[in-house]
Amino acid sequence: MRPELQYRGRLAPSPTGYLHLGHARTFWAAQERARTHGGILILRNEDLDSTRYKMDFVDAMIEDLRWFGFEWSEGPDIGGPFAPYNQSERIDLYRAAFEKLRAGGFLFPCTCSRKDIQSAVRAPHVEDEDEPIYPGTCRDRKSEVVDGKFSWRFRVPDGETVSFVDGNFGVQSLVAGKDFGDFIVWRRDGVPSYQLACVVDDAAMRITEVVRGADLLKSTARQILLYRALGLTVPEFYHCELMKDDAGVRLAKRHDVLSLRALREKGASPESLRQNW
């Protein structure tokens, strides 16, 4: 981080279920890093997934975070200079960024479904746990010749190595087209993707360091390409080890027994839950 900038970190949960202990550990790292740097921590509600979003989860998210000991200076519950802090209220910002990318020739329309992509990929060359690398089916299509519903993908520079220094894992290098492929920035249902919304918000809210789980290391390479295409300053990154259950499976919101709400109801204290961190 440049010394003249004040440290600004963020907590960015999505209200699609109750927060679990893995979220808490990563968020705790974010809070501790903000405190160490004498900086500011904000809360952003990433509520773009209307198919899974519930208002009850928003209320529970804020309540559980407060109970656990989190403190933020800006957020959907208290406001701040970069409001609104609910992503559902920031669509105009995402659309402006999308139009800039499209005007710059970075995007192409794609009619492929996930099933289409999976069937087009011959070998089990998997990009993420559930997403094969896009095979380039629609790469040369123009928007004026596409009918019906379609998404918009960012055309990655094939063969280019995207490198960054992670604050926890050190130097990371990923090759576009090999380690990750063309990715969606605007979904066919008219909603911006996580990749685009995250970049737009972190830049607009002047986040200087992004602290999140190691499962998003690959997303960082994608987002660096978006920062560059939009002419935005790339923040620093710090990715945390993922927490796993007794069977070695990484925690997810389906692990209700390890949700902060369930642990709290069982009488656990925040101090006891984080004593080994």
Side-chain angles (χ1 to χ4, degrees):
M1 184 179 71
R2 296 196 301 275
E4 69 273 15
L5 293 178
Q6 180 184 36
Y7 183 101
R8 287 179 60 83
R10 49 49 156 201
L11 310 177
S14 57
T16 56
Y18 293 122
L19 297 178
H20 57 62
L21 203 52
H23 293 125
R25 189 172 72 172
T26 296
F27 292 164
W28 196 257
Q31 177 164 276
E32 288 299 289
R33 289 187 66 76
R35 287 174 173 173
T36 298
H37 289 87
I40 288 174
L41 188 68
I42 73 164
L43 174 66
R44 185 171 71 228
N45 175 28
E46 300 201 336
D47 59 347
L48 287 178
D49 191 346
S50 60
T51 62
R52 295 191 297 158
Y53 157 76
K54 291 183 180 180
M55 191 61 207
D56 288 348
F57 289 144
V58 177
D59 296 336
M61 172 182 78
I62 292 175
E63 182 181 327
D64 291 346
L65 288 172
R66 291 287 189 198
W67 167 76
F68 201 80
F70 289 101
E71 298 176 351
W72 50 90
S73 302
E74 305 167 23
D77 56 332
I78 56 177
F82 301 102
Y85 293 88
N86 295 310
Q87 285 192 329
S88 58
E89 300 175 58
R90 301 173 63 83
I91 298 297
D92 288 347
L93 291 172
Y94 311 141
R95 190 173 296 280
F98 163 75
E99 293 295 348
K100 185 174 182 178
L101 291 172
R102 186 168 67 165
F106 294 101
L107 308 181
F108 64 90
C110 177
T111 58
C112 298
S113 66
R114 179 169 294 191
K115 184 178 180 181
D116 293 334
I117 295 171
Q118 289 173 337
S119 63
V121 178
R122 297 178 181 176
H125 186 53
V126 177
E127 176 177 8
D128 289 328
E129 285 187 350
D130 58 352
E131 183 181 356
I133 290 181
Y134 181 70
T137 308
C138 300
R139 245 190 172 218
D140 297 324
R141 286 186 177 176
K142 306 296 183 183
S143 59
E144 55 267 23
V145 298
V146 178
D147 296 322
K149 286 189 175 183
F150 55 87
S151 57
W152 287 89
R153 288 183 181 269
F154 185 93
R155 185 182 290 104
V156 303
D158 279 344
E160 180 176 328
T161 299
V162 181
S163 298
F164 63 96
V165 179
D166 185 73
N168 189 24
F169 292 104
V171 176
Q172 302 293 305
S173 296
L174 298 105
V175 179
K178 178 182 177 182
D179 295 317
F180 64 98
D182 302 330
F183 56 91
I184 292 175
V185 297
W186 205 271
R187 295 171 6 193
R188 64 179 62 211
D189 59 359
V191 177
S193 72
Y194 162 77
Q195 309 294 351
L196 181 63
C198 180
V199 166
V200 170
D201 285 344
D202 284 341
M205 295 177 181
R206 300 181 186 177
I207 301 303
T208 59
E209 184 181 58
V210 174
V211 180
R212 57 192 179 190
D215 56 323
L216 292 170
L217 274 166
K218 201 167 289 187
S219 282
T220 299
R222 302 183 188 106
Q223 290 171 14
I224 287 174
L225 292 178
L226 289 176
Y227 278 109
R228 191 166 68 190
L230 291 167
L232 301 172
T233 300
V234 181
E236 295 183 357
F237 296 94
Y238 186 101
H239 290 82
C240 302
E241 296 275 3
L242 299 179
M243 184 174 284
K244 299 180 180 180
D245 63 16
D246 293 339
V249 178
R250 82 178 191 188
L251 296 192
K253 288 179 179 175
R254 61 181 177 272
H255 285 80
D256 291 336
V257 69
L258 292 176
S259 72
L260 297 186
R261 178 133 304 209
L263 293 168
R264 178 183 178 185
E265 290 173 351
K266 290 179 179 178
S269 69
E271 294 77 15
S272 66
L273 292 173
R274 59 176 182 261
Q275 65 181 358
N276 294 322
W277 296 354

